[in-house]
Amino acid sequence: MRNIKLVIEYLGTNYCGFQKQQNGVTIQSVLEEAIFKTLNERVTIYPSGRTDAGVHALGQVVNFYSSTNIEINKLPIIINFNLPNDIKVLSSKEVPEEFNARKSAKSKTYIYKICNERTLSVFDEDRALAFGYNLNLQIMNQACKKLIGTHNFSSFVSTGTSTKTTTRTIYDCNITKQNKYLIFSITGNGFLYNMVRIIVGTLLDIGTGKTSLETLDLLLQGNNRKLAGKTVKPDGLYLKEVCY
């Protein structure tokens, strides 16, 4: 059996998240069906992580095992022929048998796109968050620097989420302005459920003066979910890159 790695991009707007489920169309179910039509072989794909409903990806990574003898560089073109326009395979590669898209990952980068206006363009609908308030970008980037390092991120996880540990390491975090857009970028060794969206909500509160940098210090000590910002909408969230 060959272990095949795919890098894919998708718009999550029309899907109930990545992971296959009984009720609802998902990225995984559509991709597995396209691979079946391509290879005439039922496979299970293993992603680097499961994105939620409405979340997008620029560089999601998956792997699957197959007995196909199709040339590896031809797979993206053939699979894409059987995919809808909002999911695309960008590249394919044969990898060692032990490679696992999730367990082998060293880091992931997410970005969150905000349109700093009250109304979204039709081209940004479901792909960015409209936020029309004045923001102090300088103090927000000061907050980003505080997030870098190894911390207890239990204040930044949805209530009721079960996980072995809430400790994660953030390698980089910053906000850049691109015309009317703010792009939040965060790279870490792993992320808790809704962690990025709650961090973005908290940074927006800091940018408007609703929350102080001192409050962020308390949040990083853990177990203060009520002090953190709200979970922003999934529309502006993109899994940008997975590194191995």
Side-chain angles (χ1 to χ4, degrees):
M1 298 287 281
R2 303 166 73 187
N3 190 7
I4 297 173
K5 169 189 170 186
L6 302 178
V7 179
I8 63 174
E9 64 179 9
Y10 51 82
L11 293 172
T13 306
N14 296 322
Y15 301 94
C16 301
F18 186 93
Q19 188 177 26
K20 190 160 55 178
Q21 53 186 266
Q22 290 185 344
N23 301 312
V25 180
T26 67
I27 303 293
Q28 182 179 12
S29 61
V30 171
L31 184 55
E32 287 183 352
E33 186 63 26
I35 292 173
F36 170 68
K37 291 178 180 178
T38 303
L39 306 180
N40 195 28
E41 181 181 4
R42 291 290 179 189
V43 303
T44 298
I45 60 174
Y46 304 96
S48 68
R50 299 170 293 181
T51 53
D52 295 330
V55 176
H56 318 297
L58 303 172
Q60 171 71 282
V61 178
V62 304
N63 74 290
F64 66 93
Y65 295 90
S66 170
S67 59
T68 183
N69 57 7
I70 295 177
E71 291 182 31
I72 197 71
N73 62 333
K74 292 182 179 180
L75 277 178
I77 296 173
I78 306 171
I79 297 174
N80 285 338
F81 181 79
N82 293 307
L83 282 170
N85 291 334
D86 51 7
I87 305 175
K88 285 288 178 289
V89 177
L90 300 177
S91 65
S92 58
K93 180 181 180 181
E94 190 165 352
V95 289
E97 181 181 356
E98 64 272 14
F99 175 87
N100 179 279
R102 180 178 66 83
K103 295 179 181 179
S104 301
K106 300 299 183 184
S107 70
K108 297 177 186 176
T109 298
Y110 282 90
I111 62 171
Y112 196 94
K113 184 178 182 181
I114 286 182
C115 177
N116 201 194
E117 296 183 349
R118 291 187 180 274
T119 304
L120 285 176
S121 157
V122 292
F123 300 105
D124 287 325
E125 202 65 46
D126 299 319
R127 302 182 189 184
L129 175 71
F131 194 84
Y133 300 94
N134 291 328
L135 291 165
N136 186 330
L137 188 57
Q138 182 178 4
I139 198 169
M140 292 170 75
N141 269 312
Q142 290 178 32
C144 286
K145 290 180 181 178
K146 286 179 175 288
L147 293 169
I148 296 173
T150 301
H151 304 285
N152 176 2
F153 283 97
S154 58
S155 299
F156 301 92
V157 62
S158 291
T159 304
T161 302
S162 59
T163 183
K164 291 182 179 179
T165 175
T166 53
T167 299
R168 297 291 186 273
T169 299
I170 300 302
Y171 303 123
D172 189 38
C173 183
N174 63 80
I175 306 167
T176 56
K177 185 173 177 60
Q178 300 176 8
N179 298 319
K180 64 180 179 179
Y181 301 104
L182 293 178
I183 307 298
F184 294 68
S185 177
I186 184 166
T187 301
N189 66 347
F191 295 91
L192 302 166
Y193 182 55
N194 282 339
M195 177 174 158
V196 176
R197 290 163 60 190
I198 296 170
I199 285 176
V200 171
T202 304
L203 291 173
L204 288 174
D205 284 348
I206 290 172
T208 58
K210 181 180 178 180
T211 298
S212 67
L213 288 176
E214 291 72 25
T215 300
L216 180 60
D217 292 329
L218 292 175
L219 290 170
L220 290 173
Q221 294 174 22
N223 298 317
N224 282 296
R225 175 65 189 96
K226 291 182 180 179
L227 290 179
K230 67 179 182 179
T231 306
V232 293
K233 295 169 63 176
D235 305 25
L237 184 60
Y238 298 75
L239 173 57
K240 180 182 179 182
E241 183 181 23
V242 185
C243 292
Y244 295 90

